[in-house]
C-alpha cells in the first residue's frame, strides 16, 4: 500500500506543485517508487514531469485522476497528490486518503489563512476518523526577514506543525 502525501492549500500559488515535484525527485533519488496525481486543473506537476529530460523525474509515474480508484490500488511506495488551490469535493477525498498532508505556505496572510482552512476542514469533518498529520512548509522565505520568526511562533502557538527547514527565496 502506497504512502499518500497530499500537497494542499486552498490558496493558489503557495508552492504546492513545486514542492510536490521536488519531493518526487527526492523520493526517487532515495530508491522509492513514486506515482503522482495532478488534481490541479492547470496540470503544472504533470506538465513538468511529462516534459522533463531529468533522469529522476522521468521515473515518476503519472496517474490520471479519472483512472485512480483508491490509494490502495496503487503499487508504488509513495503516491503524491498535487491539489488545486480551492477546497473541492475531490480535494476532501484526497485529504482523507492521506498518510501525510503537506501545506506549502508563503509568509503571507492569504497563504496562512489558506493553510488554516485545511486544518479547520479536517477538524470539523465527521469523515476524519484517523488523525492525519499536517506539516506546514514555509515557502519563498527571506530568512533575513524579521517577520519569519514571528510567523513561525504564531503558527506553533496555534498548534500547527511547521517544518524546521524553510524554502528560501532565490537570489539572482
Amino acid at each position: 500500500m502506497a504512502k499518500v502525501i497530499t500537497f494542499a492549500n486552498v490558496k493558489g500559488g503557495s508552492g504546492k506543485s513545486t514542492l510536490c515535484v521536488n519531493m518526487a525527485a527526492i523520493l526517487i533519488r532515495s530508491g522509492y517508487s513514486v506515482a503522482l496525481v495532478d488534481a490541479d486543473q492547470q496540470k503544472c506537476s504533470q506538465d513538468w514531469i511529462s516534459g522533463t529530460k531529468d533522469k529522476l523525474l522521468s521515473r515518476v509515474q503519472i496517474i490520471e485522476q479519472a483512472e485512480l480508484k483508491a490509494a490502495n490500488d496503487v503499487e508504488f511506495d509513495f503516491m503524491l497528490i498535487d491539489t488545486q488551490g480551492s477546497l473541492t469535493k475531490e480535494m476532501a477525498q484526497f485529504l482523507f486518503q492521506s498518510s501525510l498532508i503537506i501545506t506549502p505556505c508563503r509568509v503571507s496572510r492569504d497563504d496562512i489563512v489558506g493553510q488554516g482552512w485545511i486544518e479547520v476542514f479536517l477538524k470539523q469533518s465527521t469523515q476524519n476518523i484517523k488523525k492525519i498529520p499536517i506539516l506546514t512548509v514555509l515557502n519563498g522565505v527571506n530568512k533575513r526577514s524579521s517577520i519569519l520568526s514571528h510567523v513561525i511562533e504564531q503558527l506553533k502557538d496555534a498548534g500547527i506543525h511547521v517544518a524546521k527547514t524553510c524554502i528560501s527565496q532565490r537570489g539572482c
Side-chain angles (χ1 to χ4, degrees):
M1 184 164 98
K3 290 184 173 130
V4 180
I5 302 174
T6 302
F7 296 81
N9 189 321
V10 299
K11 161 91 172 40
S14 63
K16 295 179 295 289
S17 299
T18 302
L19 193 54
C20 183
V21 170
N22 281 282
M23 178 67 77
I26 289 167
L27 291 169
I28 290 285
R29 182 183 301 155
S30 298
Y32 295 105
S33 58
V34 178
L36 187 140
V37 176
D38 193 340
D40 190 343
Q41 294 174 346
Q42 295 178 29
K43 300 291 183 204
C44 293
S45 292
Q46 183 173 328
D47 290 347
W48 194 343
I49 291 172
S50 298
T52 191
K53 294 180 183 178
D54 184 286
K55 291 180 184 180
L56 290 175
L57 290 179
S58 64
R59 294 175 22 208
V60 175
Q61 177 70 42
I62 300 290
I63 297 177
E64 294 293 330
Q65 188 175 346
E67 298 170 6
L68 184 64
K69 293 178 186 169
N72 298 339
D73 296 338
V74 179
E75 306 252 344
F76 293 91
D77 296 318
F78 287 91
M79 181 170 67
L80 307 182
I81 303 173
D82 182 18
T83 62
Q84 69 182 31
S86 61
L87 189 55
T88 62
K89 183 172 80 173
E90 291 79 19
M91 182 197 275
Q93 292 169 344
F94 290 133
L95 292 174
F96 296 131
Q97 293 178 0
S98 299
S99 307
L100 171 66
I101 299 167
I102 295 179
T103 56
C105 191
R106 295 191 181 276
V107 182
S108 75
R109 179 194 167 278
D110 291 342
D111 281 28
I112 292 168
V113 168
Q115 180 280 341
W117 280 113
I118 300 296
E119 300 260 354
V120 168
F121 175 76
L122 286 173
K123 284 179 184 168
Q124 293 183 349
S125 174
T126 57
Q127 292 181 348
N128 192 14
I129 297 165
K130 64 177 184 171
K131 177 80 170 139
I132 304 166
I134 302 173
L135 178 65
T136 297
V137 177
L138 294 175
N139 184 20
V141 170
N142 178 347
K143 291 186 179 178
R144 289 182 254 167
S145 169
S146 59
I147 197 169
L148 177 60
S149 58
H150 175 73
V151 167
I152 291 171
E153 185 178 312
Q154 281 193 320
L155 289 171
K156 287 182 177 180
D157 285 349
I160 296 168
H161 298 286
V162 180
K164 291 180 183 177
T165 302
C166 298
I167 300 171
S168 295
Q169 290 178 342
R170 291 185 151 225
C172 298

